[in-house]
């Protein structure tokens, strides 16, 4: 890591601690993509350097094996982020296994989007084919609850009749 980056990161951390007190302020997540270009050892060294300058959490992008994931977690201290991208290079593991290995947080960046698209495609096929979709959808009341409309309307009614 270049000296200038190190100084900036330390200064930034010190400024936040001075303004908000220790342990407050934003979470600093340091990511490296160097595994693919520079190899596993370089990526580990970068993560160790991130921790040395005070980053809260590290993120090693795209480990290719469970063994790499375990080694990363055992060699680098502090919280770690796992990126669970289906059809990516990192093995997809259940949350409890990730926790056992040593990950603190897991991101599933495309899971819900992809599942939603697949569901929409299926619903559209059923509509196109003249089939009912009742078994695929929430009731209107459940939909309103899911998007917060019911809670919003209740709050509006309370405000409407407030006397204070």
């Amino acid at each position: 890591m270049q000296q200038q980056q190190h100084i900036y990161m330390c200064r930034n951390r010190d400024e936040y601690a001075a303004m908000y007190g220790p342990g407050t302020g934003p979470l600093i997540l340091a990511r490296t993509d160097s595994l693919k270009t520079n190899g596993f050892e370089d990526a580990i060294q970068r993560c160790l350097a991130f921790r040395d300058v005070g980053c809260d959490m590290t993120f090693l992008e795209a480990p290719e094996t469970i063994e790499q994931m375990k080694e990363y977690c055992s060699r680098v201290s502090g919280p770690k982020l796992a990126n669970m991208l289906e059809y990516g290079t990192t093995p997809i593991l259940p949350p409890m296994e990730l926790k056992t290995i040593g990950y603190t947080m897991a991101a599933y960046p495309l899971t819900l989007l992809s599942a939603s698209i697949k569901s929409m495609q299926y619903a559209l096929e059923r509509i196109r084919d003249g089939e009912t979709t009742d078994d695929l959808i929430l009731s209107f009341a459940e939909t309103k609850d899911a998007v917060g409309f019911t809670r919003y309307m209740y709050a509006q009614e309370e405000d409407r009749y407030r006397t204070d």
Side-chain angles (χ1 to χ4, degrees):
M1 181 172 292
Q2 295 176 347
Q3 183 67 18
Q4 188 63 24
Q5 290 172 318
H6 178 267
I7 292 168
Y8 175 76
M9 291 172 74
C10 289
R11 194 173 121 220
N12 195 23
R13 168 69 71 195
D14 292 342
E15 288 171 3
Y16 274 107
M19 289 187 333
Y20 301 109
T24 60
L27 172 103
I28 299 177
L29 169 65
R31 169 185 174 149
T32 182
D33 292 79
S34 69
L35 177 87
K36 185 173 178 99
T37 57
N38 299 353
F40 183 72
E41 189 57 35
D42 179 79
I44 291 293
Q45 291 305 314
R46 288 173 189 243
C47 289
L48 291 169
F50 295 152
R51 293 292 294 157
D52 285 346
V53 297
C55 290
D56 298 308
M57 182 180 284
T58 57
F59 171 28
L60 171 61
E61 172 61 22
E64 298 171 348
T65 65
I66 294 172
E67 291 72 30
Q68 283 183 342
M69 296 168 79
K70 287 179 179 179
E71 187 172 344
Y72 160 58
C73 289
S74 70
R75 290 180 60 190
V76 179
S77 68
K80 290 169 252 340
L81 172 67
N83 192 24
M84 298 287 97
L85 180 64
E86 291 86 351
Y87 304 107
T89 58
T90 302
I92 304 296
L93 302 176
M96 289 309 295
E97 190 171 347
L98 290 169
K99 183 177 182 178
T100 300
I101 289 173
Y103 285 96
T104 312
M105 184 183 296
Y108 295 81
L110 295 180
T111 305
L112 295 178
L113 176 62
S114 182
S116 298
I117 292 168
K118 188 173 184 174
S119 295
M120 287 185 258
Q121 289 172 331
Y122 183 59
L124 288 169
E125 288 170 10
R126 299 258 304 257
I127 291 167
R128 180 196 64 211
D129 297 343
E131 299 173 20
T132 180
T133 58
D134 292 347
D135 61 323
L136 303 178
I137 63 173
L138 298 172
S139 71
F140 186 52
E142 291 170 319
T143 300
K144 290 191 300 184
D145 287 345
V147 299
F149 186 76
T150 305
R151 190 173 54 248
Y152 169 76
M153 286 305 294
Y154 179 75
Q156 292 296 319
E157 286 296 313
E158 280 191 341
D159 286 345
R160 184 181 201 185
Y161 297 109
R162 184 174 294 172
T163 60
D164 54 336

